[in-house]
Amino acid sequence: MVLGRRYRVGRSVVYSAGVMRVGYVQMRPRFGEVGANLRRVRELIGSERADLWVLPELFNTGYVFTSHDEVRALAEVVPAGDTTHELITMAGELGAHLVAGLAEREGDQIYNAAVAVGPGGMLALYRKVHLFSEEKRWFTPGDTPFPVVPVAGARVGVMICFDHYFPESARTLALQGAEIIAHPSNLVMPGIAQRTMVVRAMENRVFTVTANRVGLEERGGRALRFTGLSQIVAPTGELLARSPEETEEVRVIELDPERSHDKHINPWNDVLADRRPAFYAR
Amino acid sequence: MVLGRRYRVGRSVVYSAGVMRVGYVQMRPRFGEVGANLRRVRELIGSERADLWVLPELFNTGYVFTSHDEVRALAEVVPAGDTTHELITMAGELGAHLVAGLAEREGDQIYNAAVAVGPGGMLALYRKVHLFSEEKRWFTPGDTPFPVVPVAGARVGVMICFDHYFPESARTLALQGAEIIAHPSNLVMPGIAQRTMVVRAMENRVFTVTANRVGLEERGGRALRFTGLSQIVAPTGELLARSPEETEEVRVIELDPERSHDKHINPWNDVLADRRPAFYAR
């Protein structure tokens, strides 16, 4: 944390309480090899430091499931399961918070979920509200609100992958005061989320961190290619980081989450205060 | 209208009732010269044919007002005023519908408005819900719902310029069944609406027609440069037309509005049916 930065937002000079390091891990998970995937995350991070790390959706299990039994066997109870436990241990070791996607089991239900954890333990569990494509075969639609959690003095919102397609997801997080949106992803449509997330950042004046995976996953006669291009976007829509399409990579950006407090795009327009919900259909 | 077209939408073959011609007029209005601007529209359209023409925001008056008296003098009662009358006459002559932006007066209130007209008269009046920048000095915020009107068998929604920044605008039109969004604009932020409108088209699976103006307008010590790049986008996000930044231009695209009926982006996901409003903040 660097204290005492001053910078301009529109016409104002803002005194910033601190600068935060935010990173993502773009990786190629190996299907079903939970331990190896956790170790790979740690290996990729190496000696890099960040206050917040965002990992891909289902980073620990892989994505192309072939049966309900398989999903059930890989899904973990949260926070009791190994992955959440290991992530909390890693958070302690790194002195960081992590937002990571995993398959979660509660009773008979399996969710495509994300956990937010810190050195002190679990902060939030989010269950994906908008399931993509054949995920509907394996997962129950999420039943948890979009969460916003405190990380190193910042407010971090969580949504997963296809939630990006619905502007209501990022909007709901922004209306709850999210300064940074952590967006674990397993994107297969090239270039789509890269565009929508720039617009989500601009229309809500928030930072967004999309952690995508890479690699071809072939299982049971199905093959999906994951498209990389993980990215970090500023509240102005400026691209702060973007990774290649095919290689594993860790990126960290120093940013000031308070830059997202000013919702003005000019002295007259505040992108949240100017909303007029009385005219909006639900 | 061409009858009997068949085409594929996702996995289905759809029988189309017809193909429609949709165009926009990108123009450089002369401030305060209402008659000349109306004539310029007609001149630019020339012998081009379309079922629907979209004109810029405030196409008849120009944009850079310098006093309330000036706005009041240029604003017209709708539909009694000259501009609406002339647009209806033009609609009859062209055998077309038009959506056009103008300054509207009702009693003491002045609105940044748009009319949708056809050969038979007025179809809708819309008053801009999200005013941009110094428009807040001159106009009362809109108090009309986002309208959807029938045009040549299609359902056409209307929003104005900065409404694009708020995803709720296009969403509200799509939820009311809009197949095409007519978007009269006076854009000054280069490249912003061009990006958001591609996302609005994709996230709602609708056609969008953004008619922007061009030219530098200098008045009373203020100067604004309008950024052209008018565009038509398909429900897939594909750019069907885009004009240059600085020149006046008319473009017409033949499209099938029924292509917007299929909200599926894959066999599992329908971008409207998959919405989960119970989890969305207002």
Side-chain angles (χ1 to χ4, degrees), chain B residues 54-222:
Chain B
V54 184
L55 274 47
E57 180 182 13
L58 296 168
F59 85 98
N60 62 333
T61 59
Y63 187 89
V64 184
F65 300 103
T66 56
S67 73
H68 286 96
D69 286 349
E70 191 176 67
V71 186
R72 181 167 305 278
L74 286 166
E76 299 183 18
V77 174
V78 170
D82 284 351
T83 298
T84 307
H85 179 77
E86 290 297 320
L87 288 170
I88 292 168
T89 302
M90 204 185 299
E93 187 193 328
L94 296 168
H97 287 71
L98 296 111
V99 174
L102 77 181
E104 182 224 348
R105 177 163 50 83
E106 185 187 55
D108 285 342
Q109 306 301 316
I110 313 285
Y111 299 94
N112 182 340
V115 291
V117 307
M122 275 278 294
L123 287 167
L125 168 69
Y126 166 66
R127 294 165 170 167
K128 191 176 186 179
V129 161
H130 305 99
L131 295 174
F132 180 70
S133 192
E134 300 198 22
E135 291 169 25
K136 292 189 178 183
R137 294 175 63 188
W138 315 122
F139 299 110
T140 302
D143 57 359
T144 53
F146 290 99
V148 178
V149 296
V151 172
R155 292 172 62 80
V156 174
V158 181
M159 60 189 223
I160 300 176
C161 200
F162 190 52
D163 287 331
H164 78 85
Y165 212 94
F166 299 80
E168 294 89 349
S169 312
R171 184 65 110 201
T172 296
L173 290 169
L175 287 170
Q176 294 179 82
E179 297 162 347
I180 301 168
I181 293 179
H183 181 219
S185 296
N186 271 195
L187 296 161
V188 293
M189 297 189 289
I192 302 292
Q194 285 75 18
R195 280 189 285 181
T196 60
M197 290 304 289
V198 167
V199 171
R200 303 298 171 238
M202 288 196 308
E203 70 199 8
N204 295 297
R205 303 288 285 188
V206 294
F207 292 93
T208 65
V209 183
T210 298
N212 195 17
R213 59 163 290 187
V214 293
L216 180 70
E217 201 169 281
E218 285 189 280
R219 301 195 71 252
R222 294 177 60 229

Side-chain angles (χ1 to χ4, degrees), chain A residues 129-131 133 136-137 142 165 168 171-172 200 202-203 268-269 271 274-277 280-282, chain B residues 129-131 133 136-137 142 165 168 171-172 200 202-203 268-269 274-277 280-282:
Chain A
V129 160
H130 305 100
L131 295 174
S133 192
K136 292 188 180 184
R137 293 174 65 188
Y165 212 95
E168 295 88 348
R171 184 66 109 201
T172 297
R200 303 297 171 240
M202 287 197 310
E203 69 199 8
W268 298 81
N269 288 114
V271 298
D274 283 347
R275 293 176 73 245
R276 303 191 61 203
Y280 304 159
R282 281 289 277 177
Chain B
V129 161
H130 305 99
L131 295 174
S133 192
K136 292 189 178 183
R137 294 175 63 188
Y165 212 94
E168 294 89 349
R171 184 65 110 201
T172 296
R200 303 298 171 238
M202 288 196 308
E203 70 199 8
W268 298 82
N269 288 113
D274 283 347
R275 294 175 73 245
R276 303 190 63 203
Y280 303 158
R282 282 289 276 177

Side-chain angles (χ1 to χ4, degrees), chain B residues 253-265:
Chain B
I253 292 292
E254 205 167 89
L255 57 81
D256 186 336
E258 288 194 10
R259 273 187 61 200
S260 71
H261 292 193
D262 187 348
K263 301 298 184 190
H264 282 87
I265 57 168

